[in-house]
Amino acid sequence: MRVLVLGSGGREHALAWKLAQSPKLTKLFIAPGNPGCEEVGECVDLDLCNIPAVVRWAKLNGIDLVVPGPEAILVEGIVDAVREAGIRAFGPTKSAAELEKSKIFAKNLMRHHGIPTADYAVFERHEDAKNYLDSREDGPVVVKADGLAAGKGAIVCKNLAEANAAIDRCMLSSEFGDAGSRVVIEECLRGEELSVLALTDGKTIAPLASSQDHKAIYEGDTGPNTGGMGAYSPAPLMTPKLMDSVISKVLVPTVHAMNADGRRFRGVLYAGIMVTGAGPKVLEYNVRFGDPETQPLMMRLDSDLLELMVAVCDGKLADQEIKWKDDPAVCVVMSSAGYPGKYKKGDAISGLAEANALPNAHVFHAGTSKKKDTILTSGGRVLGVTALGKDIPAAIKNAYAAVDLVSFDGAYFRKDIAQKALSRL
Ligand code: AMP
Ligand code: GLY
């Protein structure tokens, strides 16, 4: 099969790396990809904003399966367009991608179907949001821009003064553009977060191994949120009992609710879960693989990813069994100085070959570019250094041994990735 992966981050490198191992693969393209993707396939310079051009290219090049990575193209309807051209596309249609595109849609769906989530109210007018805050007792709340905001649209506020400022950022200064013109104000949940990803063809739901992300920039989960500074799998917090509860209270009702709404969901359903004293509650849905969760997940996946993706597209997921390596995996993200704020680009990266030569380690590229034979930094999150180990402490040790071999000017990484898991072993 000829496969086209769309995207250029660490998630796409990890998906491409795993797809490249499939005996069913004859040719792998990644558009636009990154220098890491070139190790496993051919990078093609396509503009993903131009969906008709992507579809034309896929048709001309005899592509059998298109795998879109980022949410932006899913909500723009890449899957609908690729399918109309008679090519398989792994992911939700535009109408099913609404689950990530609109937090209001997602919250209302959860409310109507009894799916556990934080209590909330929706506002379309600045004045109404302010009046609502005035009517509340002071305390923490979360203000969320309704639309896509590159992971920055959820503002956790310690008190009502911060919440008022967050409302102004969304609805007055339009910091998130149209995405912030409507907001959700919700109860602040306490607990530990888990990422639950599941493949689904709209009938069968096959959860992937559990994982946990580290969203804050600094150690101890402090500082502003980022796209994710590291991840590990499996997460010991996810007991079999908790997984059963997430399946029965979240995954199954969500897939049913989407069907009932005429928005059959196919692809990866990602539920961000807060494990609270009152059980698991949904923080958000994503309609694609997580980044950086995908990096450790792909290193642990023993099954053929291409076969699984085709089964999802063809509505035959029930015939598949997903197998995992027992060994845990840990991914440490190395970022540019200044990220998630303004950061510098264009610094040479050294030690990649040495890190990749370590047994059980792999360096997934995210924000990199290539000039002659030198790999340069070109984004906020630069690399996802990932390693397997016989247990979580060993995987941590292996990942950081690989990190120690890689360097670039101003490289930053958290030193406590997966530490939270240790207290539960
Ligand atoms: P979201 O974009 O909705 O996933 O939110 C991003 C991050 O904000 C989550 O990963 C949580 O760390 C935090 N967050 C979102 N909603 C809540 C909530 N209701 N209570 C506490 N933290 C939250
Ligand atoms: N790791 C968080 C996300 O992919 O949204």
Side-chain angles (χ1 to χ4, degrees), residues 103 142 144 154 156 186-189 193 215 225 283-284:
K103 299 224 190 270
V142 184
K144 295 183 173 180
V156 180
E186 69 177 38
E187 164 203 14
C188 190
L189 299 174
E193 285 179 49
K215 290 212 167 80
N225 270 348
L283 290 169
E284 65 159 348

Side-chain angles (χ1 to χ4, degrees), residues 327-395:
D327 285 2
V330 169
C331 168
V332 179
V333 169
M334 297 182 77
S335 63
S336 298
Y339 175 77
K342 253 183 83 149
Y343 53 83
K344 156 163 157 318
K345 297 181 188 178
D347 289 306
I349 307 172
S350 65
L352 292 168
E354 290 79 359
N356 275 326
L358 291 180
N360 300 324
H362 199 82
V363 182
F364 294 109
H365 290 225
T368 66
S369 63
K370 198 170 173 181
K371 199 170 175 191
K372 295 204 175 112
D373 283 335
T374 309
I375 307 287
L376 305 174
T377 64
S378 72
R381 292 191 293 172
V382 177
L383 301 166
V385 182
T386 313
L388 291 161
K390 68 176 189 324
D391 50 24
I392 292 181

